[in-house]
Amino acid sequence: MHVAAGDASGLADVEGSPALATIERVREWCTTAGTNVRVTPVVDLNDDLHRDGYQPSPLQREQAALLDRTCVHPFCTRRARACDLDHIEPSLAGGPTASANLAPLCRRHHRLKTFGGWSYERVGRGRYRWTSPGGRRYLRDRQGTTEVGPGP
């Protein structure tokens, strides 16, 4: 379980859970006998991390998993930690290995993007606009997928 820091509301974002948890509940879990707690460095989800070369860094992978939680293809729910980290603008076309150009895609949807005519762009932190081969458009964010109609 990964827990993002609580905020002024007293709620924490628990990875793998669709709901927020109270800080008191997290404290309860951590003080229960048999609970394993792992402390990891804080990852700034707003930081645009850059790396030379093609392979994303472990910190970039962690950041993407925490930010997006799942594959960012429309309607997919595969956990981000089980996904490839895709260069939105392909590396061969000059796309950098940078947080703003990386997003988790499960292998199936990574192949659809690369070979199947699907395309997408980041339109905000954790927000993606997809276009299907038939021209349908979708907006994908942490809350899910919204069909936004035909493309231009």
Side-chain angles (χ1 to χ4, degrees):
M1 163 180 53
H2 287 79
V3 178
D7 58 17
S9 70
L11 297 175
D13 189 0
V14 180
E15 185 176 312
S17 171
L20 297 173
T22 64
I23 297 301
E24 291 76 26
R25 182 70 177 129
V26 173
R27 186 176 296 117
E28 217 176 277
W29 290 332
C30 292
T31 58
T32 300
T35 300
N36 293 315
V37 177
R38 184 179 69 159
V39 178
T40 60
V42 173
V43 177
D44 185 346
L45 301 183
N46 294 312
D47 200 5
D48 191 20
L49 304 171
H50 292 260
R51 181 169 187 164
D52 291 334
Y54 177 76
Q55 291 296 327
S57 70
L59 190 57
Q60 286 172 315
R61 288 187 173 285
E62 180 69 9
Q63 184 187 52
L66 293 172
L67 178 66
D68 293 309
R69 291 185 172 182
T70 65
C71 169
V72 300
H73 192 273
F75 304 107
C76 189
T77 59
R78 184 169 199 93
R79 296 178 63 92
R81 293 189 187 284
C83 291
D84 299 334
L85 207 49
D86 178 54
H87 285 75
I88 299 167
E89 179 185 347
S91 181
L92 292 175
T97 302
S99 301
N101 192 46
L102 297 170
L105 290 178
C106 68
R107 183 61 50 93
R108 177 174 180 241
H109 291 129
H110 196 170
R111 289 176 189 239
L112 279 176
K113 181 251 182 171
T114 304
F115 305 112
W118 283 83
S119 63
Y120 74 121
E121 62 183 330
R122 183 186 301 263
V123 293
R125 203 75 170 146
R127 294 174 49 91
Y128 306 90
R129 184 172 34 239
W130 282 87
T131 304
S132 75
R136 303 296 303 174
R137 296 184 82 181
Y138 303 89
L139 181 63
R140 174 62 194 255
D141 61 21
R142 286 183 76 173
Q143 279 64 53
T145 302
T146 305
E147 188 169 356
V148 292

